[in-house]
Amino acid sequence: MHYWVVPCAPKYQPTRTKMENFTTPLLFVLLCSVFILGHGFSRNLPISSFDEGYSQLFGDDNLIVLKDGKSVHLSLDERTGSGFVSQDLYLHGFFSASIKLPADYTAGVVVAFYMSNGDIFEKNHDEIDFEFLGNIRGKEWRIQTNIYGNGSTNVGREERFGLWFDPSDDFHQYSILWTHTHIIFYVDDVAIREIKRTESMGGDFPSKPMTLYATIWDASEWATNGGKYKVNYKYAPYIAEFSNFVLHGCTVDPIELTSLKCEDATNTNSIPTGITPSQRAKMESFRKKHMQYSYCYDKIRYKAPPSECVINPKEAERLKKFDPVTFGGGRHHGKRHRRGQAAAI
């Protein structure tokens, strides 16, 4: 397992409850954020093998580790989906994988690459999501990003995008940078979304240790045109391919939820420092061309936009041309693998 080496704060003494364990000193959290922000960005990131960083979550033989040990196939068929989970919990870091999505008719299929702690904090979990939404033949995959903090599932912060390439033709890198102050989603090193922590968000910003997940599953009830088009198992198995796993973060003891460890990695000129002016220009160009939905402009869901939203009238007008978006009614990733396990029984 590779981690970034930094002089992070030493282990601190656990207190009696899990929630008390997260009333850590602000300095401690900031030290761990500094380690993430203190480096530039490059492609020279160590790659972990699957067995070094992950374990199978569900799906039986629908998960296949290839002979190189660094690539995995997840498949969905009429029996079950499949998924894997990181072996460690992380509090902040940079997490990435190359993904190639299924081709042809993929309506109702969702491939997810995300962070969650729903199995530890069932009523106040956090999430950081990449979701890939399949489509009917001739229509493109869509990519959706979202966050939840402290169980705030009643306030979805979804944004949905098209892409400038066909994600089923080849592998592309999808990355999450998570720090104490912001979250950035990347596609092939292009920042596509930045979420800054604001005081008004309160606990809605993800702040507790999370595990990394990847799944493929049947979301026929909502994923394609609000459930109009469903998974057609005539085209199964649907296979999502994963490789180039990057796991760089501060690990947290899964029992005490206190022992944060940031081990050394030399030549650390690799993790993004945030968004540079040129990267921001690319991000704004991407969003102008490819964004299809933003929660900030959803007047049906929110009478007033959430506090962190900055309204752009031109953007609001442009987004009107896209079809209405239906979401899964309080669903969250922390339960998905349980659905898959039930389907496999």
Side-chain angles (χ1 to χ4, degrees), residues 9-15 18 20-25 28-29 32 91 209 251-253 256-261:
K11 289 185 180 181
Y12 52 94
Q13 295 301 314
T15 51
K18 289 182 178 179
E20 287 172 342
N21 288 338
F22 282 101
T23 57
T24 57
F28 177 80
V29 176
C32 297
L91 180 63
T251 58
V252 175
D253 184 275
E256 300 293 343
L257 299 178
T258 54
S259 306
L260 191 146
K261 183 171 62 174

Side-chain angles (χ1 to χ4, degrees), residues 6 8 32 35 89-93 248-252 260-262:
V6 290
C8 245
C32 297
F35 110 83
L89 276 165
Y90 299 91
L91 180 63
H92 307 146
H248 289 301
C250 293
T251 58
V252 175
L260 191 146
K261 183 171 62 174
C262 298

Side-chain angles (χ1 to χ4, degrees), residues 24-228:
T24 57
L26 178 60
L27 176 61
F28 177 80
V29 176
L30 291 177
L31 282 170
C32 297
S33 296
V34 167
F35 110 83
I36 295 166
L37 294 171
H39 305 281
F41 181 81
S42 78
R43 297 178 182 272
N44 300 320
L45 293 167
I47 303 299
S48 297
S49 69
F50 179 80
D51 288 340
E52 282 180 317
Y54 292 96
S55 300
Q56 182 167 4
L57 181 65
F58 73 99
D60 300 325
D61 56 0
N62 279 17
L63 183 152
I64 298 175
V65 181
L66 303 191
K67 290 183 179 180
D68 66 0
K70 296 183 178 180
S71 303
V72 174
H73 287 182
L74 294 181
S75 63
L76 167 68
D77 57 28
E78 60 276 4
R79 298 180 303 111
T80 182
S82 52
F84 57 83
V85 59
S86 66
Q87 296 171 11
D88 289 319
L89 276 165
Y90 299 91
L91 180 63
H92 307 146
F94 185 80
F95 311 95
S96 185
S98 289
I99 305 172
K100 182 180 179 183
L101 299 174
D104 202 10
Y105 182 98
T106 55
V109 176
V110 171
V111 176
F113 180 65
Y114 64 100
M115 304 190 75
S116 178
N117 49 33
D119 286 347
I120 299 175
F121 301 97
E122 294 189 1
K123 295 182 179 181
N124 61 335
H125 82 288
D126 306 291
E127 282 188 29
I128 303 174
D129 303 336
F130 266 118
E131 293 178 302
F132 305 93
L133 311 179
N135 219 324
I136 59 176
R137 185 183 285 112
K139 298 288 186 178
E140 299 176 347
W141 280 85
R142 284 91 22 91
I143 184 172
Q144 183 165 286
T145 62
N146 194 16
I147 68 162
Y148 293 121
N150 203 33
S152 58
T153 54
N154 61 321
V155 182
R157 290 179 165 86
E158 296 92 346
E159 288 191 346
R160 188 172 291 185
F161 309 92
L163 293 167
W164 65 93
F165 54 82
D166 182 345
S168 67
D169 277 348
D170 203 351
F171 285 92
H172 292 270
Q173 198 79 14
Y174 303 91
S175 308
I176 297 168
L177 174 67
W178 172 37
T179 80
H180 177 65
T181 58
H182 63 270
I183 294 164
I184 303 174
F185 295 90
Y186 296 87
V187 176
D188 287 341
D189 299 344
V190 176
I192 66 167
R193 183 181 183 187
E194 179 185 32
I195 301 169
K196 295 181 179 179
R197 184 174 193 162
T198 65
E199 184 176 350
S200 60
M201 288 179 71
D204 285 4
F205 190 92
S207 59
K208 299 187 293 296
M210 290 189 279
T211 310
L212 201 70
Y213 294 85
T215 56
I216 184 170
W217 59 294
D218 183 332
S220 292
E221 71 273 17
W222 68 272
T224 308
N225 285 51
K228 179 179 180 181

